[in-house]
Structure formats: C-alpha cells, structure tokens
Amino acid sequence: MLKADSTYGKTRIWLVNIAKEASLCRAKYLYLLTPPELEKSNKFRKPSDSDRYIVTRVIVRLILASYVGLKPEDLQFSKNTAGKPELAGGPHFNLSHAGEYIVLACSTAPVGIDLEFVNQEFRYEDILATCFKSNEQQVIGNDENPRRAFYYAWTRKEAVLKKEGLGISENLPGVDISSRDGLINLDVDAKHVLALAYDGKYPPAQIRSFTLS
C-alpha cells in the first residue's frame, strides 16, 4: 500500500499493473468514481477496457491524495487552457497507459509521460516519413534494434507534447527530440517502454510500483 512519503522536490513515476489491481478497485474503491465515471465504466464492451478505466481513476486519486494530505474523494480537479488536467493545491501530474500498465508521473513542475507497448506486428516503417524528421529517421534506421528505437523516439515526442499541453496529431512531426534536456527513456519490461519529459530542477527517482494489497 502507498506510504505517505510522496514529497515534492522530485519527479516520481508510479507503475500500476491493471489486472492485479482491478478486483480490489471494484470491490473497495468504486466510491471514488463520480456518477458519470461509473456510468461510463459500464459502457465499455470489453471488461479489460472497463478495468483500465476504473483502475486509472482510483489509483490517480489515491496517489495524488497522498501528496496533498486530503481524502481521495475530496480532490478537486480542473483543466488548464490547453485542456490538461490539474489538481488544485497539488503536484503537476500526467498519466499514460498501454498493454498491462498504467503510469503516473508527479512533479513540482509540469511533466509529461508516455507509455507504449512494443508491438512486434506494427509496421512502424510506414509512418516514419510523416512523423519524424530525416535525422530522426536515420537514427532509428541505424540502431541495432530499430523497432525499439522507434518506440523510444515516439514516446519522447509524446512526452514532450504532453508536458507542454499540446495536441499530439498536429504537433508530433515538428517536435525536436535530438538535443533536449529533461527527456529520458526507461524500459518498464521487455514489452513496454516509456519516456518522461520533466523540469531539470526535479530529476526523476526510480520507477515505483503501486499496489493496493
């Protein structure tokens, strides 16, 4: 269970395994969802999509509540001018999900995180020209593992845009990730990679796993 040691001054990355937390979230924490969220959770066709939706909303509230010393149900969220969610009186945060996991980044300053499942069947070559500059394409193509290099580059671009509160589809090709401070890739496991864009004053600590049990 999460300890109340999530202090400001660092950028933390929380990792959640969706399947491991879904049953307990449904059994004990559905009260944290708003009525519209509960209604939406029941409309998913796939149980796995409903699980992800519920676990995300429960875990985000539990973790952020530990930063501000409030009950999870008392948190007040809003959106900035770019539509990015914010927590009144709390840390900056950003989240992403892919495959088996949810990741949540929290920091004193604006932060962006992107998690991707490394799909061995995806034809990433088909979108290189439209999403990456020529020098970026060259770096990816020359890597000993070009597929993983593609996902490293893709997540870095998304993390930067999420940190800055910019739309992905219209801005992704123009993002320069060749020489940017406060931008790193991390391997979650053999099938998942993430990128974190953060303020250099608040370097990230190691990824921390979150569990309710």
Side-chain angles (χ1 to χ4, degrees), residues 150-201:
F150 163 80
Y151 279 100
Y152 282 159
W154 181 275
T155 55
R156 288 200 299 272
K157 283 177 175 277
E158 284 218 26
V160 168
L161 292 173
K162 292 175 74 175
K163 176 177 179 287
E164 297 176 357
L166 299 174
I168 302 298
S169 58
E170 65 271 29
N171 293 294
L172 189 139
V175 176
D176 184 4
I177 56 172
S178 58
S179 58
R180 181 185 287 266
D181 293 332
L183 183 60
I184 59 170
N185 279 112
L186 296 169
D187 290 322
V188 174
D189 58 24
K191 298 183 294 183
H192 301 79
V193 302
L194 67 79
L196 179 76
Y198 61 95
D199 189 306
K201 296 178 182 177

Side-chain angles (χ1 to χ4, degrees), residues 105-180:
C106 301
S107 184
T108 307
V111 64
I113 193 166
D114 185 56
L115 174 71
E116 297 290 340
F117 173 76
V118 181
N119 186 346
Q120 298 297 327
E121 305 300 322
F122 177 59
R123 292 180 55 84
Y124 69 90
E125 302 94 339
D126 294 345
I127 65 171
L128 285 177
T130 56
C131 297
F132 294 92
K133 299 176 181 180
S134 57
N135 62 314
E136 295 169 340
Q137 295 177 49
Q138 188 173 20
V139 170
I140 292 170
N142 291 340
D143 194 273
E144 61 181 15
N145 188 339
R147 179 174 299 276
R148 206 164 189 83
F150 163 80
Y151 279 100
Y152 282 159
W154 181 275
T155 55
R156 288 200 299 272
K157 283 177 175 277
E158 284 218 26
V160 168
L161 292 173
K162 292 175 74 175
K163 176 177 179 287
E164 297 176 357
L166 299 174
I168 302 298
S169 58
E170 65 271 29
N171 293 294
L172 189 139
V175 176
D176 184 4
I177 56 172
S178 58
S179 58
R180 181 185 287 266

Side-chain angles (χ1 to χ4, degrees), residues 61 64-76 88:
R61 286 180 169 92
L64 292 179
S66 73
Y67 280 82
V68 295
L70 294 175
K71 294 180 179 180
E73 59 268 34
D74 292 336
L75 297 181
Q76 298 294 320

